[in-house]
Amino acid sequence: MQLLIVEDQPTELRIAAAVARDCGYPIIEARSSSAAAQQFLEKALEGVHPLPDAILLDLDLGHDSGFELLRFWHANPQTAKVPVIVWTILGEQYREICEMFKVSSYIDKGAGAAALREALGKLGQLAS
């Protein structure tokens, strides 16, 4: 199973990758911006490599916004089938917007790695 992590903070990326490996994602692609993640997905749509089995997305990417990737993901029927977990520090006020995009889970980073583990674990069970 392959996970695309879109995260600009190295510490948060290390935490997310460790949790993902524990949840059965042996292949982890990481991108630090929406544009780079979108390019990765575009290449997958071209057949260069497979689409990821799931996407873990931070909405606050410093100079960039995860909402840009959500728009791209949601607009394409092939990518829209890929489950997205939003893992962000932006807070609850963005949960409703993410639900409109039909993300699989919305997790506040303040909930810690346990909440991320639970969401990734549920996705892994659904894929099995």
Side-chain angles (χ1 to χ4, degrees):
M1 288 182 31
Q2 181 181 28
L3 178 68
L4 171 60
I5 300 176
V6 186
E7 172 61 65
D8 67 324
Q9 297 297 316
T11 301
E12 300 293 328
L13 175 59
R14 281 191 294 278
I15 291 167
V19 170
R21 280 191 286 279
D22 288 348
C23 291
Y25 290 89
I27 301 170
I28 298 171
E29 293 289 332
R31 300 295 183 270
S32 62
S33 71
S34 285
Q38 183 174 329
Q39 288 175 342
F40 178 83
L41 293 174
E42 287 170 344
K43 293 216 180 276
L45 293 171
E46 293 168 3
V48 174
H49 52 77
L51 280 169
D53 297 294
I55 300 169
L56 179 61
L57 175 63
D58 185 6
L59 296 177
D60 182 14
L61 298 168
H63 63 283
D64 199 0
S65 170
F67 284 110
E68 295 303 317
L69 184 63
L70 275 181
R71 284 186 199 99
F72 172 82
W73 164 82
H74 188 72
N76 185 302
Q78 288 176 285
T79 57
K81 294 176 187 175
V82 177
V84 171
I85 296 173
V86 170
W87 188 48
T88 189
I89 197 148
L90 289 182
E92 289 298 309
Q93 67 267 32
Y94 293 96
R95 181 182 297 273
E96 189 173 315
I97 297 169
C98 289
E99 287 172 358
M100 288 174 24
F101 276 109
K102 297 182 172 50
V103 301
S104 300
S105 297
Y106 183 92
I107 304 165
D108 187 319
K109 285 184 180 179
L116 178 58
R117 183 173 284 109
E118 181 179 342
L120 285 169
K122 284 179 185 176
L123 280 185
Q125 291 170 354
L126 292 175
S128 302

